[in-house]
């Protein structure tokens, strides 16, 4: 009923997930994640370690966007700055990243110091300007179906006629009217995983789909690598967080790994363009 009757991802609620999840403590995420602090699925096709998988994912995103020196890249949901730093360092672009987490903003600015990267604490609905390329990695799960039209319209309006928008998101194998109650209550408040039907309905008449890539099984490997790192680091985290947090975090990582192992969960990367684009997209 909550999902049906209310807009759980409204502008007024946009910062709740930042406060309740992403702001719990950078030490947890630094211990669990790879050095780029990528909190999204790695790409394991030719990778043997989490570090390699995340670097492979970041570079694949940049290559799919066909980034060129001097371009402006907008990142909707920039996390701790891993992609912004990689794109600015290796592809010569300037980056504007936004987040709803104060802790992410603070650390992302430190990690991107000296690079042409701006990090802002803001909701995507407040964005203005014009960008050559737009990217969103692991943020769309917080948008919610009631906001899909405004989300895609915002990205459309911010992007140049010849640009690309790369959307990296978890997807559900079927359309669901609700989110798992435990995940909603303890991990990602107000989250909602889209189905392919929901995505294409919202994209229709706004973007063309140039490429749709699914590597959902790689999220199982990513989550198990996060669990290994978190468990190894727990003796240093235990005094601050306690056993209740340990049990909660273990269940979160394990049940999500099971979700992808069962192939109920997918991981999609879509490359989108406007109808005004004339060049053929070649991945």
């Amino acid at each position: 009923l909550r999902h049906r009757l209310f807009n759980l991802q409204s502008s007024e609620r946009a910062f709740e997930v930042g406060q309740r999840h992403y702001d719990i403590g950078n030490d947890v995420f630094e211990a669990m994640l790879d050095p780029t602090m990528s909190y999204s699925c790695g790409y394991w096709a030719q990778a043997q370690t989490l570090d390699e998988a995340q670097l492979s994912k970041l570079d694949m995103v940049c290559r799919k966007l066909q980034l060129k020196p001097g371009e402006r890249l907008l990142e909707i949901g920039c996390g701790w700055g891993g992609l912004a730093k990689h794109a600015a360092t290796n592809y010569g672009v300037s980056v504007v990243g936004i987040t709803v987490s104060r802790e992410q903003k603070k650390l992302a600015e430190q990690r991107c110091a000296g690079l042409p990267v701006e990090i802002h604490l803001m909701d995507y609905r407040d964005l203005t300007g014009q960008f050559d390329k737009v990217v969103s990695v692991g943020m769309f799960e917080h948008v919610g179906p009631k906001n899909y039209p405004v989300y895609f319209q915002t990205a459309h309006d911010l992007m140049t006629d010849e640009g690309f928008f790369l959307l990296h998101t978890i997807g559900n194998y079927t359309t669901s009217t609700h989110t798992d109650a435990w995940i909603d209550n303890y991990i990602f408040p107000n989250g909602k995983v889209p189905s392919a039907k929901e995505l294409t309905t919202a994209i229709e008449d706004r973007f063309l789909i140039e490429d749709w890539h699914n590597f959902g099984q790689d999220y199982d490997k990513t989550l198990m690598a996060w669990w290994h790192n978190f468990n190894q680091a727990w003796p240093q985290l235990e005094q601050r967080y306690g056993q209740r947090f340990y049990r909660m975090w273990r269940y979160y990582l394990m049940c999500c790994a099971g979700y992808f192992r069962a192939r109920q969960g997918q991981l999609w990367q879509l490359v989108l363009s406007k109808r005004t684009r004339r060049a053929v997209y070649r991945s």
Side-chain angles (χ1 to χ4, degrees):
L1 285 174
R2 289 174 66 244
H3 283 275
R4 287 181 179 274
L5 296 177
F6 303 107
N7 184 354
L8 299 179
Q9 302 84 12
S10 64
S11 297
E12 293 75 18
R13 295 173 180 262
F15 291 85
E16 186 175 340
V17 68
Q19 295 162 358
R20 290 182 52 190
H21 185 81
Y22 297 106
D23 288 348
I24 59 171
N26 283 335
D27 54 348
V28 170
F29 295 107
E30 286 176 308
M32 183 176 81
L33 305 178
D34 69 296
T36 71
M37 291 195 71
S38 295
Y39 195 26
S40 55
C41 183
Y43 187 56
W44 292 80
Q46 296 177 327
Q48 300 299 317
T49 67
L50 178 64
D51 296 9
E52 292 174 356
Q54 294 295 10
L55 281 172
S56 180
K57 184 268 299 294
L58 294 181
D59 209 61
M60 179 169 65
V61 166
C62 293
R63 286 185 282 106
K64 284 183 177 181
L65 284 168
Q66 298 180 4
L67 295 180
K68 299 178 179 63
E71 289 186 333
R72 294 189 78 212
L73 172 65
L74 170 65
E75 185 177 8
I76 304 175
C78 64
W80 292 273
L83 176 57
K85 182 178 180 180
H86 185 84
T89 301
N90 297 286
Y91 288 84
V93 298
S94 61
V95 186
V96 174
I98 67 167
T99 177
V100 294
S101 165
R102 295 183 184 278
E103 292 299 313
Q104 284 187 338
K105 178 181 185 294
K106 183 167 60 177
L107 189 54
E109 287 177 330
Q110 294 173 10
R111 289 161 56 83
C112 295
L115 295 171
V117 175
E118 302 174 24
I119 308 293
H120 299 282
L121 185 71
M122 66 185 300
D123 181 53
Y124 67 89
R125 283 161 282 216
D126 298 324
L127 281 163
T128 58
Q130 195 82 158
F131 299 88
D132 299 292
K133 307 289 170 59
V134 180
V135 65
S136 185
V137 177
M139 174 272 177
F140 190 72
E141 299 87 342
H142 303 306
V143 172
K146 288 183 172 60
N147 306 296
Y148 291 168
V150 70
Y151 175 88
F152 283 111
Q153 191 62 48
T154 299
H156 179 278
D157 294 345
L158 292 166
M159 195 172 77
T160 61
D161 287 347
E162 295 296 313
F164 293 123
F165 173 29
L166 187 144
L167 177 68
H168 171 121
T169 182
I170 296 170
N172 203 50
Y173 81 112
T174 188
T175 302
S176 173
T177 58
H178 63 282
T179 296
D180 177 83
W182 190 89
I183 292 289
D184 186 33
N185 191 50
Y186 293 104
I187 305 298
F188 293 117
N190 308 322
K192 179 66 173 65
V193 174
S195 68
K197 180 181 179 180
E198 289 174 314
L199 277 177
T200 54
T201 299
I203 289 168
E204 186 175 345
D205 203 33
R206 291 187 175 89
F207 287 109
L208 301 181
I209 301 174
E210 301 283 5
D211 186 62
W212 191 316
H213 182 191
N214 180 15
F215 51 102
Q217 292 103 314
D218 282 5
Y219 226 143
D220 178 9
K221 290 184 178 181
T222 303
L223 283 152
M224 295 309 294
W226 289 347
W227 159 246
H228 173 78
N229 289 348
F230 173 77
N231 196 44
Q232 289 285 103
W234 181 247
Q236 290 76 51
L237 300 170
E238 182 175 12
Q239 187 171 0
R240 179 178 178 188
Y241 292 96
Q243 281 298 311
R244 180 179 182 274
F245 182 87
Y246 178 83
R247 293 194 302 271
M248 180 181 72
W249 212 252
R250 180 177 187 270
Y251 181 71
Y252 153 52
L253 295 173
M254 293 293 184
C255 73
C256 287
Y259 172 70
F260 290 99
R261 195 172 300 183
R263 301 214 69 191
Q264 181 178 347
Q266 313 296 305
L267 192 287
W268 296 323
Q269 281 190 356
L270 283 70
V271 178
L272 309 174
S273 69
K274 295 182 179 182
R275 282 183 60 200
T276 50
R277 181 175 170 80
R278 292 291 173 246
V280 175
Y281 178 76
R282 305 189 190 280
S283 60

